[in-house]
């Protein structure tokens, strides 16, 4: 089997028709869901691109891989999906975004040439990059956000789009009064992007993916990783006006959330992103564009599905559809992501396995508590029939796909490091304490804040919209101690014994004694003679007399 | 300043005259203590060689570096003392033992030639190895314990000692009835080793160290790492009979320890090592030899101190004396190490800084709660005046050496992974749960056992000999919850964000916006024009009409 691992960036779990969206029809996502299992309680390991993706690609919690925020380099040598798959004889390719930052100091310290195969893989998070484009060719007084070259920008230039940065001037901008109307200004989200639809980022990457599928040989996993529907929120025609004011839901927010808000939540609420999304005109402009971008993603997913079927690859290809995190879109008075309310931390996850053993669960949903790190474990399981559990902290989802009901985890974890935010200086003494841990057990959602700040607690059974933080006042909830015990257990997990598996350790037992380490003998009668034979015999020359 | 970092293997904290031993005079250890500070509550990070040393050499907890037991390879890329010192312009050399196992798979995966400078350093735990000899040239039916060549064995052969393995036949064996009387059989500990004293391991390494000191240039840290007084317990004349039955203390043990013993403790009690040390004849033979080996270490320490003084290096050299763990010697019904009673987990630690700023504390003791990982932080501080706290988990001890009283940690941690022991299969369902965590706050010592086993708790104020495990029965001690909260806090520590320091993160703040990432604009009026200038201008060709 091969693996098509497709990621959309910032795609909310509930903006798909198979997930019950009232207005948005996504027949191609639904088509995959109908062939597989849709996981209804899947959570990302951190509600922001970089660390979330590093968890997807390493199969390890954020605190385990350490790349805790956007642009924090993943340390050299950290094992990745690519390492595990290649060890099982499967190639692992990338087309699109990873948000990987290479550990340049580490490469230099270890004498690894960044241009060597090992160096390239270390720099591309373990993938063999067919093409890498993080999709944000942003530009400011300090230069470009992404210092690498952009295959997509090069494509646009080659297609005749004008200017140094057609990503900004065309793909992510409309036109207003003859002027560039940048997608960065959200009022412009209502405009069509100044680009032919077939040249937009989603279309371009899809075309590249199909080209790749036409030429790939051997056993492969391909990570097709779209930047959209991530901001800048602006869609090419005809997607820019498929949705309008009548499709914009009321924000899921409550005045009580603003009262005595947790200091970290309050810091985000006071930030520019949240302030923008607290305005109705922002939501009114952005949400239809966001829906249009998703609709476009769905149409292009259809191209890939059609191609797989037409080429005969469909029956050999397991498809994984997911996202790195959600998008608040004004819910909880927030924009973007960063915190742990469901619209931000929950992710869509659909896996379709065409093999007969997956027939039992085909077209069903699964409400097990799933984590993003389970994707890498699932891929390793597909590739090799086993999961290196001493490295991968996730669990294979294949049993669920077969309709089994394995013993499963009792809680999911997500983390957020806000040390990069200036307000961290005001909230914690040491910015290494600018960290949040979410633990959700299926009912209660605990958010622990390091550095002496109080926790947050939501009861999603009584309060599914997460308006009422039970730690604001009143007696401590009885669940709190139990949740904290779970968090402590998780904190003690063995995450770094990555050089030996359990079976390696079992195989080594007794080896020391068989190699002559015998620190328990009084007279040698305790063990078979074979173990002590090298320590017996006629004495050599006598040097014991020092007198 | 240079650093002479001397380690003795398995040297109990209380087997020095400066630490109050009633019979053993160690004037040279005492000489260093008189010039510096003796830390009376220093603890190793794991009471067994390999993981303890990896913590010394990485400055990180065992759960952070992951090399959790003897021979478990330290993963490639893990930062070491050598990396930190070289970054500060100080070389870092090894003479002797490290117990390092190279991550061969990792080296191969990263394309690092083990013979290259980076490959050698990765294989030698970050040191530039002047000579590496782990000091256990054991031999059994499965071959040698140490697969590497032994510089010490080569030396012995060159000196005319007979046989393939003079380490075993001479340095660690006596003669009895014309036969080799191996030091592995503890009854032979009373014999003199069949070797000239000047050729014994301690003497040989000292001679090599002095040679090294005569030729080293530049700023340096030298790790002189003796295998002794570690087993095999056998000393060359005249050290073999300096001590006798009248110097063997009664074992520190109590019948109550055996009643309803914690299952992990019981598994060790039932093991061959403990069984051997529960016999009086074992202690009677071993302890005098152990004392003799320490006395020999002290004499050879004197050679080094004299050399430093004679060569004028003493005034430029900070001396650190320590051990990787202790030795039960029959206390608590145990032999060797492995568990967390004081004779096993507490280590000697003496640091002498010849600089005037250390005069205030010269010759004093310090009872702060110190961990082995503090040694690397102290060395980094000496080398560069700062400690990279995002990597090193220990803290510099220099303030204590200056007589200051810094805010300090409230507890120490030690860990033990018993997955390599066959009994792990009987005690825990998953051998990844075969782990113990000790947390000692200066009064209470909690030992948490993973995998659903009960904890152990000792109150060292009421029960300094640690006979009474308060978790055996009765109501839970009130301290337990507090100690568990501390353990949980420790479990959440940030240990893997090793590619960026706090200051690196501060310096990056706002960079994204200055590079054009502006996901918070409604109309652009929110920010200075300079930030949006690249997103404005006359519209290029119009592609917005898709009709």
């Amino acid at each position: 089997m091969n693996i098509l691992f497709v990621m959309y960036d910032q795609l909310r779990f509930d903006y798909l028709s198979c997930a019950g969206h009232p207005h948005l029809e996504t027949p191609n996502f639904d088509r995959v869901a109908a062939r597989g299992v849709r996981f209804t309680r899947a959570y990302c390991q951190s509600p922001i691109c970089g660390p979330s993706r590093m968890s997807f690609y390493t199969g390890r919690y954020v605190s385990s891989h350490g790349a805790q925020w956007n642009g924090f380099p993943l340390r050299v040598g950290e094992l990745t999906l690519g390492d595990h798959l290649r060890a099982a004889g499967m190639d692992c390719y990338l087309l699109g975004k990873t948000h990987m930052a290479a550990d340049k100091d580490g490469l230099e310290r270890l004498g690894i040439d960044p241009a060597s195969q090992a160096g390239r893989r270390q720099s591309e998070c373990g993938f063999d990059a067919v093409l890498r484009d993080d999709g944000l060719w942003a530009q400011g007084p300090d230069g470009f956000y992404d210092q690498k070259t952009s295959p997509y920008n090069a494509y646009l230039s080659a297609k005749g789009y004008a200017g140094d940065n057609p990503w900004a001037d065309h793909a992510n901008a409309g036109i207003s009064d003859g002027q560039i109307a940048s997608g960065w200004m959200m009022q412009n989200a209502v405009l069509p992007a100044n680009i032919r639809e077939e040249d937009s980022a989603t279309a371009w990457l899809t075309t590249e993916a199909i080209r790749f599928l036409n030429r790939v040989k051997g056993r492969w996993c391909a990570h097709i990783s779209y930047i959209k529907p991530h901001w800048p929120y602006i869609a090419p025609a005809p997607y820019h006006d498929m949705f309008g004011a009548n499709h914009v839901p009321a924000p899921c927010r409550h005045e009580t959330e603003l009262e005595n808000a947790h200091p970290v939540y309050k810091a985000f609420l006071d930030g520019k992103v949240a302030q923008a999304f607290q305005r109705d005109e922002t939501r009114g402009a952005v949400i239809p564009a966001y829906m249009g971008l998703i609709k476009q993603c769905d149409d292009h997913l259809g191209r890939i599905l059609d191609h797989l079927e037409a080429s005969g690859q469909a029956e050999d290809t397991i498809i994984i559809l997911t996202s790195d995190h959600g998008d608040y879109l004004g819910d909880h008075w927030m924009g973007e992501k960063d915190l742990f309310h469901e619209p931000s931390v929950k992710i869509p996850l659909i896996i379709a396995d065409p093999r007969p053993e997956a027939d039992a669960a085909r077209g069903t949903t699964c409400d097990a508590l799933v984590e993003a790190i389970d994707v890498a474990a699932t891929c390793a399981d597909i590739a090799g029939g086993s999961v290196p559990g001493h490295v991968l902290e996730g669990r294979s989802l294949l049993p669920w796909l077969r309709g089994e009901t394995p013993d499963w985890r009792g809680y999911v974890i997500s983390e957020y490091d806000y040390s990069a935010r200036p307000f961290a200086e005001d909230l914690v003494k040491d910015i290494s304490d600018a960290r949040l841990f979410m633990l959700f057990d299926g009912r209660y959602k605990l958010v622990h804040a390091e550095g002496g700040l109080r926790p947050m607690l939501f009861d999603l059974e009584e309060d599914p919209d997460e308006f009422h933080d039970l730690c604001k006042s009143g007696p401590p909830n009885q669940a709190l101690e139990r949740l904290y015990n779970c968090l402590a257990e998780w904190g003690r997990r063995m995450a770094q014994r990555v050089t030996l598996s359990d079976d390696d350790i079992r195989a080594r037992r007794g080896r020391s004694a068989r190699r002559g380490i015998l620190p328990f003998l009084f007279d040698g009668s305790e063990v078979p003679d074979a173990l002590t034979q090298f320590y017996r015999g006629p004495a050599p020359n006598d040097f014991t007399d020092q007198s």
Side-chain angles (χ1 to χ4, degrees), chain A:
Chain A
M1 297 305 295
N2 302 312
I3 304 169
L4 192 72
F5 168 21
V6 186
M7 185 173 284
Y8 300 92
D9 198 307
Q10 200 149 323
L11 173 59
R12 262 176 80 133
F13 74 97
D14 55 353
Y15 269 60
L16 299 173
S17 44
C18 55
H21 196 281
H23 306 301
L24 184 60
E25 289 300 321
T26 51
N28 292 298
F29 280 94
D30 299 3
R31 190 170 153 193
V32 180
R35 295 175 188 173
V37 174
R38 185 169 64 83
F39 293 89
T40 61
R41 295 205 292 189
Y43 292 85
C44 64
Q45 254 51 65
S46 184
I48 189 164
C49 301
S52 173
R53 287 162 177 272
M54 296 306 107
S55 284
F56 269 106
Y57 307 148
T58 63
R60 291 160 60 72
Y61 291 105
V62 173
S63 284
S64 299
H65 63 63
Q68 307 196 169
W69 209 67
N70 290 339
F72 287 19
L74 185 73
R75 68 193 223 160
V76 67
E78 185 73 13
L79 284 153
T80 60
L81 180 59
D83 294 311
H84 301 297
L85 297 189
R86 280 190 288 271
M90 179 181 279
D91 291 319
C92 189
Y93 299 105
L94 165 71
L95 292 90
K97 169 170 178 169
T98 61
H99 222 119
M100 169 72 181
D103 177 8
K104 290 178 186 167
D105 292 344
L107 288 168
E108 186 180 341
R109 191 174 66 247
L110 297 185
I112 301 171
D113 178 358
S116 68
Q117 184 183 67
R120 290 195 314 272
R121 286 175 175 166
Q122 287 297 308
S123 302
E124 294 292 2
C125 204
F127 291 104
D128 287 322
V130 177
L131 68 87
R132 162 83 184 274
D133 197 309
D134 278 1
L136 286 178
W137 198 237
Q139 200 171 357
D142 282 7
F144 286 102
Y145 170 71
D146 192 333
Q147 298 297 316
K148 295 176 280 295
T149 55
S150 163
Y152 178 51
N153 241 351
Y155 165 85
L156 291 179
S157 295
K159 293 284 277 188
Y161 289 92
D164 293 337
N165 189 359
W167 177 92
D169 296 350
H170 282 283
N172 289 283
I175 299 178
S176 178
D177 294 331
Q179 296 287 305
I180 291 172
S182 172
W184 288 113
M185 287 95 185
M186 291 188 279
Q187 66 178 357
N188 297 328
V190 299
L191 301 172
N194 184 13
I195 194 166
R196 296 181 199 98
E197 192 280 331
E198 68 262 29
D199 295 329
S200 65
T202 298
W204 164 76
L205 188 63
T206 303
T207 301
E208 292 291 336
I210 290 171
R211 278 197 192 133
F212 168 81
L213 291 171
N214 274 328
R215 68 175 187 264
V216 64
K217 308 273 187 231
R219 297 179 68 214
W220 52 266
C221 170
H223 181 44
I224 313 296
S225 186
Y226 293 96
I227 178 66
K228 295 297 176 184
H230 189 285
W231 42 256
Y233 302 106
I234 188 164
Y239 298 101
H240 73 293
D241 66 355
M242 284 186 178
F243 305 95
N246 54 330
H247 303 117
V248 177
C252 178
R253 67 191 190 197
H254 193 293
E255 293 289 336
T256 194
E257 295 180 277
L258 306 177
E259 294 159 15
N260 188 21
H262 188 280
V264 178
Y265 179 38
K266 181 162 193 321
F268 276 101
L269 290 176
D270 293 344
K272 288 177 182 164
V273 172
Q275 296 288 318
F277 276 89
Q278 288 167 22
R279 296 168 65 175
D280 288 343
E281 56 268 42
T282 302
R283 297 183 72 251
V286 161
I287 291 177
Y290 182 72
M291 292 170 71
L293 290 167
I294 295 169
K295 183 71 184 170
Q296 187 190 13
C297 288
D298 185 77
D299 284 344
H300 286 279
L301 174 59
R303 287 176 64 202
I304 292 179
L305 298 178
D306 291 347
H307 177 83
L308 289 173
E309 286 172 14
S311 65
Q313 290 168 297
E315 63 201 40
D316 300 327
T317 303
I318 293 171
I319 299 176
I320 302 171
L321 305 178
T322 191
S323 179
D324 53 351
H325 52 75
D327 192 325
Y328 274 109
L329 294 172
D331 292 346
H332 303 284
W333 313 92
M334 293 277 289
E336 282 230 62
K337 50 261 181 181
D338 299 303
L339 290 177
F340 302 106
H341 300 91
E342 298 280 277
S344 173
V345 73
K346 194 187 254 196
I347 51 175
L349 178 62
I350 305 170
I351 306 181
D353 180 344
R355 293 175 291 188
E357 55 263 41
D359 287 348
R362 213 173 292 291
T364 66
T365 58
C366 173
D367 64 358
L369 290 167
V370 165
E371 299 182 292
I373 53 177
D374 296 338
V375 169
T378 303
C379 292
D381 195 3
I382 294 167
S386 67
V387 177
H390 61 301
V391 182
L392 293 174
E393 298 188 289
R395 296 184 56 182
S396 172
L397 299 170
L398 289 189
W400 297 111
L401 297 180
R402 294 189 295 256
E404 298 167 9
T405 52
D407 276 342
W408 201 248
R409 65 170 66 89
Y411 53 84
V412 293
I413 297 284
S414 193
E415 303 176 69
Y416 191 82
D417 182 332
Y418 61 94
S419 59
R421 307 281 185 178
F423 63 70
E425 304 289 348
D426 303 322
L427 296 182
V428 288
K429 191 160 147 276
D430 298 315
I431 65 165
S432 60
D433 281 339
R435 292 179 296 135
L436 305 172
F437 298 85
M438 179 203 85
L439 187 145
F440 177 54
D441 71 356
R443 174 172 177 176
Y444 289 102
K445 187 182 281 184
L446 167 70
V447 178
H448 168 74
E450 212 59 55
L453 301 175
R454 70 165 174 84
M456 292 171 256
L457 181 68
F458 299 94
D459 177 353
L460 272 71
E461 195 170 295
E462 296 291 323
D463 174 30
D465 287 329
E466 306 175 273
F467 291 149
H468 304 285
D469 175 355
L470 299 174
C471 290
K472 276 186 182 173
S473 60
N477 189 284
Q478 291 184 344
L480 209 55
E481 184 180 341
R482 182 175 51 76
L483 296 166
Y484 263 105
N485 285 341
C486 292
L487 184 61
E489 174 191 65
W490 176 81
R492 297 187 310 262
R493 77 196 180 282
M494 186 167 60
Q496 304 301 331
R497 196 202 71 200
V498 296
T499 57
L500 290 179
S501 70
D502 287 3
D503 285 344
D504 290 335
I505 290 168
R506 289 192 177 96
R508 287 171 168 232
R509 285 183 191 145
R511 196 177 66 162
S512 289
R514 295 190 306 270
R515 291 181 177 178
I517 296 287
L518 304 166
F520 47 79
L521 303 179
F522 183 72
D523 55 20
S525 65
E526 298 88 342
V527 294
D529 279 357
L531 285 183
T532 57
Q533 62 172 305
F534 296 98
Y535 301 130
R536 285 178 279 119
N541 291 348
D542 188 345
F543 297 96
T544 59
D545 181 6
Q546 300 281 311
S547 60

